Amino acid sequence: MSTKDESGPVTLIAVLEAPVENTDEFIAGWRTHLEPLRTAPGFRGARLHRALRAEHRFPLVAVADWASPADLAAAVSGEQRGPGAEKYAKTVHRGVYRAIGEVASGQRADGAGVTMINAFELPGERVEEFLDAWRPRAERASQSPGFVDFRMHRAVGEASLPLVNVAHYASVDAWKALQADPEFQARKAVNPPYATANPGLFEVVADVVAEVVTEVVAEVVDEVGAGPM
């Protein structure tokens, strides 16, 4: 995965393809592995998602946000090497991405909120063409009741999954209502034959929040000049 000659925020995404063995063990190990990164320079947080349907092609998706490629590279070079995701899944789609489209409705999901992740397979040279067809459906989705936000990620360099969309809805029912919307279905039907979508609903099973380390600077005040505060 390449991050060279780029600046600005990046997202590391790892998609585990079924079958995945010892899921609970992987989740626990993922959380333990990520915990030391909470105070790493540039780390903005990471979430591990598990598909609500056990038979989904991609049962687990890990998403980690970084302030820059340099911060990500530094963390990768200094991390403790373990067996990795490949111990649990024969195929792991891993890549570094940049957000190329983001919309937020302003509303927040309650405890019943759900994450929709759609990983797209298509030739890298046809990404722009695909996005032209995808944008109308994304616009319709962003107008639906219960829509919270979405962020479309595009891979930096070559990747088996060039595009990954991560969206949030207030509830599973809100997402189902969108699927029943005739206008959304009409726009969704305009799907290029060269692209394969893999949508699914997910729950967050592990969340590692970045810990902001602040440095307290003591201010020396001249007692003679100090007045009432």
Side-chain angles (χ1 to χ4, degrees), residues 98-101 120-137 152-157 162-163 190-192 194-195:
R98 290 188 181 279
I100 58 170
F120 296 92
E121 298 169 282
L122 70 156
E125 65 273 12
R126 306 192 76 169
V127 167
E128 290 295 340
E129 179 185 349
F130 172 81
L131 289 172
D132 288 339
W134 172 82
R135 288 187 182 99
R137 81 176 78 157
M152 174 63 91
H153 303 81
R154 181 175 184 173
V156 176
L163 294 170
V190 185
N191 193 59
Y194 54 79

Side-chain angles (χ1 to χ4, degrees), residues 61-84:
V61 178
V63 179
D65 295 316
W66 292 85
S68 72
D71 290 324
L72 171 58
V76 171
S77 64
E79 70 179 349
Q80 297 269 337
R81 294 292 179 180

Side-chain angles (χ1 to χ4, degrees), residues 34-125:
L34 269 288
E35 275 294 327
L37 295 179
R38 291 180 59 191
T39 57
F43 178 70
R44 292 184 169 180
R47 296 152 305 285
L48 180 61
H49 307 80
R50 178 169 55 193
L52 297 186
R53 289 194 305 112
E55 65 272 21
H56 194 278
R57 180 184 173 191
F58 301 135
L60 294 168
V61 178
V63 179
D65 295 316
W66 292 85
S68 72
D71 290 324
L72 171 58
V76 171
S77 64
E79 70 179 349
Q80 297 269 337
R81 294 292 179 180
E86 285 76 8
K87 173 185 175 182
Y88 303 91
K90 184 177 180 180
T91 302
V92 180
H93 305 271
R94 187 183 286 105
V96 177
Y97 294 75
R98 290 188 181 279
I100 58 170
E102 188 171 5
V103 173
S105 66
Q107 68 173 301
R108 301 178 63 180
D110 56 20
V114 67
T115 302
M116 191 286 300
I117 299 178
N118 197 352
F120 296 92
E121 298 169 282
L122 70 156
E125 65 273 12

Side-chain angles (χ1 to χ4, degrees), residues 192-211:
Y194 54 79
T196 300
N198 298 279
L201 296 182
F202 291 75
E203 61 178 340
V204 176
V205 291
D207 188 4
V208 178
V209 180
E211 181 178 320

